Amino acid sequence: MDDEKPTHGPAGRSARARRPSPRGPARRTTARALTGAVLAALLLSGCGLLDGGAEERDPEWVLDEASERYFRPDLVGHSPGLVEEHFPVLETMGAVTVAEGRFTDPYERVPFPAQDDYWWQAVIELEPAQVDELVSATAAAGASDHGGAGAPEPVSEDEVLDALVPTLEGEVQDCPGGWVDVSPALAQEKGPDVSDAGDLLELTAVCAGGSQLLTSARDM
């Protein structure tokens, strides 16, 4: 009987060479297990790094406890557009410093914050004559409402500084004549506490005898 000889296929390899090694599946199983373990370890370590980074990062938003609102210390604007939109009666103005932000924590997972969650504030430089005109217009509005002489309501310095976020407090000048509320002169058409663009006015104070107007409004 002839001895068995290996047969060769078209590629010249023996049939015996094409037989799968019994160790192949075991090796593949072991490799998959090791890969899964490595991936799991990486994911777990990655979560730890992400969590740690979130705790250690410097927040972009800061809570001002006095005014009870969140603001960005690095976000201050100087465009007069927002002021012109809300107070068209101010035909001319000097330097403008504007800050904007939210009342609720921006890091909370709220998909769509309510419209009135947003606020804006401004420190506006005016001519002293413009300040006098606002004070006179406020007094006239008070006189017409009450049938007699009216005077603007005083606003204390503490109220002014508590209402403004820290990025604007440094823009406020000393006011020996005292701060007074002139919201009726700035929003006569829509009411004493609503801007021409429809925002709720929380602060509209000028320095009597000075040149600054301070405003704070809630987006409505």
Side-chain angles (χ1 to χ4, degrees):
M1 185 174 180
D2 295 335
D3 295 335
E4 287 187 6
K5 295 181 180 180
T7 57
H8 294 270
R13 291 178 300 172
S14 67
R16 184 179 302 170
R18 293 196 300 269
R19 294 176 184 171
S21 169
R23 291 177 294 177
R27 288 178 176 174
R28 286 194 294 271
T29 301
T30 303
R32 291 194 192 101
L34 289 173
T35 301
V38 171
L39 288 174
L42 288 174
L43 287 173
L44 289 173
S45 62
C47 291
L49 290 173
L50 288 174
D51 291 341
E55 293 175 357
E56 296 172 3
R57 68 178 177 178
D58 293 328
E60 295 180 348
W61 291 89
V62 178
L63 172 63
D64 177 37
E65 294 184 357
S67 62
E68 299 181 335
R69 65 196 69 207
Y70 287 84
F71 72 102
R72 291 264 309 268
D74 61 337
L75 191 61
V76 176
H78 299 282
S79 172
L82 192 60
V83 177
E84 293 172 345
E85 176 187 358
H86 288 271
F87 305 119
V89 68
L90 302 176
E91 296 179 355
T92 60
M93 66 189 77
V96 175
T97 306
V98 179
E100 300 177 75
R102 289 178 53 179
F103 287 98
T104 59
D105 188 347
Y107 293 116
E108 291 181 355
R109 297 190 177 186
V110 179
F112 299 105
Q115 182 176 351
D116 62 358
D117 187 38
Y118 297 96
W119 59 265
W120 65 274
Q121 297 180 342
V123 175
I124 306 154
E125 292 291 334
L126 300 174
E127 293 292 333
Q130 290 177 284
V131 172
D132 292 341
E133 289 175 5
L134 291 174
V135 173
S136 298
T138 299
S144 63
D145 290 342
H146 300 93
E153 293 288 334
V155 182
S156 70
E157 183 177 355
D158 287 341
E159 289 179 276
V160 166
L161 296 180
D162 285 347
L164 297 177
V165 292
T167 48
L168 295 186
E169 288 180 3
E171 303 291 328
V172 178
Q173 301 172 357
D174 291 335
C175 182
W179 298 95
V180 294
D181 176 36
V182 292
S183 55
L186 291 172
Q188 292 183 48
E189 294 184 2
K190 297 201 174 189
D193 58 353
V194 180
S195 74
D196 198 74
D199 283 0
L200 180 65
L201 298 176
E202 301 172 311
L203 173 70
T204 48
V206 295
C207 176
S211 61
Q212 279 193 322
L213 166 63
L214 312 178
T215 68
S216 178
R218 179 192 291 262
D219 187 1
M220 298 297 290

